[in-house]
Amino acid sequence: MIFVFDFDGVVCDSTDECMVCSWNAWQEWNEKSEFRYKLKDFNPSEIEWFKPLRPRVRGAGEYYILERSRSEGINIVKQSDYDHLCEKWDDKLSEFKEIFYKQRSALRQIDLQAWIDLHPVYTEVVSVIQNLLSSKKLYIATLKDRESVQFILKNVNIIIDEQNLFDQSQISSKLEALKYIEEKENYKKENIVLIDDNITHLLKPKEAGYNVFLAAWGNITSEYLQLARVSKINILTSP
């Protein structure tokens, strides 16, 4: 079997870091300079607002959806609300993505270890990854940037082969990554396992015949859990 792990929400909880970068990107977008660099810079209501929405984000550009909806007082209750806003504001996402990564880089440069500490890892998942590394059958496919993944993994003494890491510069979907891996490894689809915490990343791979699992040990919406059950996608509550 070949195991393909998503990163944010599966290997680590990036909620806090994404909230900081999202806030700062929105400040730059609006030509403001009220930047924040630590979790303590946010009040409890801001954190509670961001946390349940974070699992819906499928790439850095979509933090525009969260920031603008907050700014305009738009309530996102269900996935269809979120998807509607993604379609409505699609022309803004690419530019916002670049600003988001710019702010992430700035945050790293200020204090790299403090930035890493904004990504608490799931220790049991790290143990599984460490055990799989020697088999050469482990991949990470993420819409995060490669450098961030490498910094966080290195902090827990994991070095992954460059060719076994697909990031946002190489793939636009998890299905695309799975196709690359299938061709490279010459494995049957049913022997390739994708583990992701975002149900929207799993639906097309399942339809294509890959073996998919929803990771539910982190911050996940009840709507995703229900959709997984309806779609007959297995749910993992622990690695």
Side-chain angles (χ1 to χ4, degrees), residues 58 143 174-175 194 196 198-205:
R58 293 162 294 206
L143 297 183
K174 301 303 171 65
L175 179 58
L194 172 64
D196 201 301
N198 190 319
I199 190 68
T200 64
H201 288 158
L202 297 173
L203 297 175
K204 288 185 178 179

Side-chain angles (χ1 to χ4, degrees), residues 94-225:
S94 179
E95 183 179 354
F96 195 80
K97 172 183 173 181
E98 297 306 313
I99 296 174
F100 182 96
Y101 281 129
K102 175 184 174 183
Q103 289 299 330
R104 170 172 284 166
S105 178
L107 195 61
R108 277 202 301 254
Q109 291 174 16
I110 291 170
D111 188 334
L112 178 59
Q113 189 58 51
W115 174 84
I116 291 173
D117 291 343
L118 288 171
H119 302 80
V121 298
Y122 299 110
T123 55
E124 291 182 345
V125 180
V126 169
S127 295
V128 171
I129 288 175
Q130 288 171 330
N131 290 333
L132 287 172
L133 275 176
S134 60
S135 70
K136 306 295 184 181
K137 301 302 181 186
L138 169 74
Y139 285 82
I140 289 178
T142 177
L143 297 183
K144 201 179 190 72
D145 59 289
R146 174 182 298 272
E147 191 175 22
S148 291
V149 173
Q150 291 171 324
F151 274 129
I152 296 164
L153 289 180
K154 185 178 181 181
N155 192 60
V156 290
N157 300 312
I158 291 177
I159 305 296
I160 188 167
D161 195 310
E162 288 277 342
Q163 63 182 356
N164 285 43
L165 171 57
F166 293 93
D167 79 337
Q168 57 85 27
S169 69
Q170 299 165 286
I171 59 170
S172 58
S173 71
K174 301 303 171 65
L175 179 58
E176 187 177 359
L178 294 176
K179 288 179 177 178
Y180 287 147
I181 295 167
E182 179 186 2
E183 181 177 353
K184 175 188 172 185
E185 297 284 358
N186 195 28
Y187 262 53
K188 294 182 179 179
K189 291 180 179 179
E190 58 267 28
N191 291 327
I192 300 176
V193 176
L194 172 64
I195 301 171
D196 201 301
D197 69 316
N198 190 319
I199 190 68
T200 64
H201 288 158
L202 297 173
L203 297 175
K204 288 185 178 179
K206 179 176 174 56
E207 290 176 6
Y210 295 97
N211 205 353
V212 303
F213 292 85
L214 179 68
W217 49 74
N219 180 21
I220 190 169
T221 70
S222 58
E223 186 181 4
Y224 281 5
L225 292 171

Side-chain angles (χ1 to χ4, degrees), residues 41-106:
D41 295 334
F42 295 82
N43 63 50
S45 63
E46 290 171 330
I47 295 171
E48 288 306 307
W49 173 86
F50 188 89
K51 187 174 180 179
L53 292 176
R54 162 63 188 88
R56 300 193 187 279
V57 175
R58 293 162 294 206
E62 290 188 11
Y63 286 104
Y64 178 88
I65 307 301
L66 271 58
E67 295 299 338
R68 183 167 175 179
S69 65
R70 177 175 60 178
S71 176
E72 298 183 7
I74 298 172
N75 194 20
I76 300 174
V77 178
K78 52 188 185 296
Q79 188 65 33
S80 58
D81 297 335
Y82 183 82
D83 291 341
H84 170 71
L85 294 176
C86 284
E87 293 178 7
K88 182 178 180 180
W89 297 332
D90 179 67
D91 61 325
K92 306 293 194 299
L93 305 189
S94 179
E95 183 179 354
F96 195 80
K97 172 183 173 181
E98 297 306 313
I99 296 174
F100 182 96
Y101 281 129
K102 175 184 174 183
Q103 289 299 330
R104 170 172 284 166
S105 178

